[in-house]
Each structure stands twice: as C-alpha cells, then as structure tokens.
Amino acid sequence: MIWELPEPRAVFDVELDDGSSIRVRQHGEIAGPRLFISHGNGFAADAYLPFWSRLLGRFELLVFDFRNHGHNEPSDPAHHTYAQMARDLERVYQDATARLGRKTSVGVFHSMSGRAAMLHAIAIGWRWDALVLFDPPNVPPLGHPIRDAMCGFETKLTGWARQRRARFGDPGELAAEYAAARANRSWVDGAHDLMARAVLRRDPARGDWLLRCAPALEASIYEAALTLDLWPDAARYGGPVKLISADPDLPYGPPTGLANRALGAEQGYDFVAIRGTGHLLQIEKPAECVHAMVEFLASQAIGA
C-alpha cells in the first residue's frame, strides 16, 4: 500500500522566538473541534497519516513538525532543547488561534512532542480543552523500580542515534531499514515507506537524500530524557489529560508501557494501554488509538 497525503486546506509558517519557523498544515473538517497533532523524536507528523487520516471527517487538524523535523528548515542546534520546544508549542498555539479563531482545541502528541506538551502545560500554561499523550517516554524519579529500564532504553537510543546513517540513495533504502527492525515490524502496510519519505529531504548538491533531523540532534533529545525530571501529577495541568500507552505486557516490548502504566497509577492519570503495541502505537494500531482518543474526547463533550 502507498499512503498519499491529502492536500491541505491551508499552510502557514509560525515564526519562533529565535527567528526560525514551524510550518503548519490545516486538514479536515473546519466545523469540528481543532486537534493539534505532532510526532516523536526523529520522526515527522506526515508519517502518522494512518492515524490522523481517520479523523479528517470529524475534526479540524493542524498537523505540524517540531523544529529540525519534517517540513521545517534546519535551525540552530543550540536551541534544540525541550525548553525551547515548549516555547515553540506556545507560539504554534497562539499563532494558529490568532489566524484561525479561538475554538475548542485539543493537543494530540506522541513521545517527544508529548513530553514537550507536558512541559509546556506545566511551565508555561494550560491552553487546551483536553490533552492526549501517546506513550511519552518519561524517566521515573530516583529509586523507582522502572527507572533503570527507562534509563537503559534512552541510553541505548542515544548511542544508536549518534551513529545512525544520515544519507541514503533514495527513500526506499531507509524504508527497508525501518522494515527490518524488530520494533517496527508491526507498522501498518505502507508505513515504512511513508515514514522514510517524511523524514528525508533531497540534497540537490549531492543527488542523494538526507535525514531532516540530524542524528546528533536526535541523540541530544534522547539524552535529555535522563535529566528532564518529568513525572508530574495529572492535577498540575489545569485540564483533562488522557495517557495512552504501548502495551506494558508486550513480550520484548519497550519499557515505555511499564513507565506509563506506573505514571498513570501513581499520578492520577486517565490511562489506557493499547494491547499488542510498542512505542509507535499510532502507526501499529491506528484504529484502536483513534477509538481510545475519541472515546476520551466524547467523555469531555468534545466531538461527541
């Protein structure tokens, strides 16, 4: 299967506080509630099409990539931090609201963008009618029984990202690498090719394809998880939050499911795990992820 991205209704660039910008694509039903949708570290929002395409008929979607990812031009590596990404998210929300008008708005974020959204809500302010977090890979505090597993997970990803291949003859080469990795074998049909196209840019000077997010920047975000100290009580946000995680009981699955189950139980989150999924759950079981999210939104009288 070949996934083809729909033509956006509108495209606009949001200027950030360091002079760089984020490109936002508007899709879906303009009369519906507004969903802000983004991605995980080293990935891109277009690659989550198997998930967000199922929402086009009911919601207005603002699909965007965080700095140094996806549709955005490269920006200063010194600003590639979670604190900056939280400020970037504030700019995206405020600019989009000013352009398109204020309405019911929901943040829908996976992994890295989920952690940025958590930090944004706690350190900058609550902007949402609801927030949906897909498997944010937070590291528990010192002494927690899951901490060592999560530290090992992030350390392994940091090392892998630092040495990963950055250039490809064509997107098919990267798609084959994605398909060969055990963690990615449950992605829906066509998603490996879709992801490869989303995370690569053509380099006309050399005639090959280059990762949009430089490996060193991807590694820096994995490494930052070890010192982020993000394990907040759900009551700190100021509004309803849904935590949707990978399967904590999946054999050989990532420890993110275990960490999120613990976070949900200990810190009072509305929590559900998607059975049989790993960290890229929205690309593995998109229908089940949509159902869990829409059911939560309906409980908040959003899109019901």
Side-chain angles (χ1 to χ4, degrees), residues 15-169:
E15 185 176 352
L16 306 177
D17 61 18
D18 66 345
S20 57
S21 64
I22 282 178
R23 178 154 292 180
V24 178
R25 290 87 69 194
Q26 181 192 48
H27 293 277
E29 175 52 62
I30 302 302
R34 180 175 294 152
L35 308 184
F36 289 74
I37 297 177
S38 201
H39 59 87
N41 188 27
F43 298 121
D46 283 353
Y48 292 65
L49 180 63
F51 167 77
W52 59 257
S53 64
R54 298 168 183 270
L55 303 167
L56 290 167
R58 299 177 60 180
F59 298 92
E60 177 193 6
L61 311 182
L62 297 186
V63 180
F64 67 97
D65 308 291
F66 274 76
R67 60 175 52 232
N68 293 306
H69 288 84
H71 286 248
N72 304 320
E73 293 299 318
S75 61
D76 188 347
H79 297 170
H80 197 82
T81 66
Y82 271 112
Q84 180 66 60
M85 289 179 183
R87 294 194 296 271
D88 293 349
L89 181 54
E90 175 72 0
R91 287 285 186 122
V92 169
Y93 173 82
Q94 296 294 354
D95 186 284
T97 301
R99 288 173 186 265
L100 303 173
R102 189 171 299 277
K103 66 189 298 188
T104 298
S105 294
V106 178
V108 181
F109 300 115
H110 171 245
S111 193
M112 176 191 76
S113 65
R115 279 198 288 218
M118 295 169 81
L119 186 61
H120 166 261
I122 292 166
I124 297 176
W126 176 259
R127 307 290 182 245
W128 314 107
D129 292 279
L131 181 60
V132 181
L133 303 171
F134 282 96
D135 213 41
N138 296 316
V139 175
L142 287 170
H144 195 285
I146 309 299
R147 181 178 173 86
D148 286 350
M150 279 303 302
C151 285
F153 177 71
E154 296 289 2
T155 299
K156 182 178 179 180
L157 286 173
T158 300
W160 169 81
R162 281 180 177 150
Q163 63 183 355
R164 74 175 296 191
R165 179 181 174 188
R167 290 185 174 272
F168 299 83

Side-chain angles (χ1 to χ4, degrees), residues 46 95 100 113 144 168 170 180 209 252 274 282 285 290:
D46 283 353
D95 186 284
L100 303 173
S113 65
H144 195 285
F168 299 83
D170 61 68
W209 295 78
Y252 308 107
I274 304 300
Q282 292 155 285
K285 292 194 174 182
V290 165

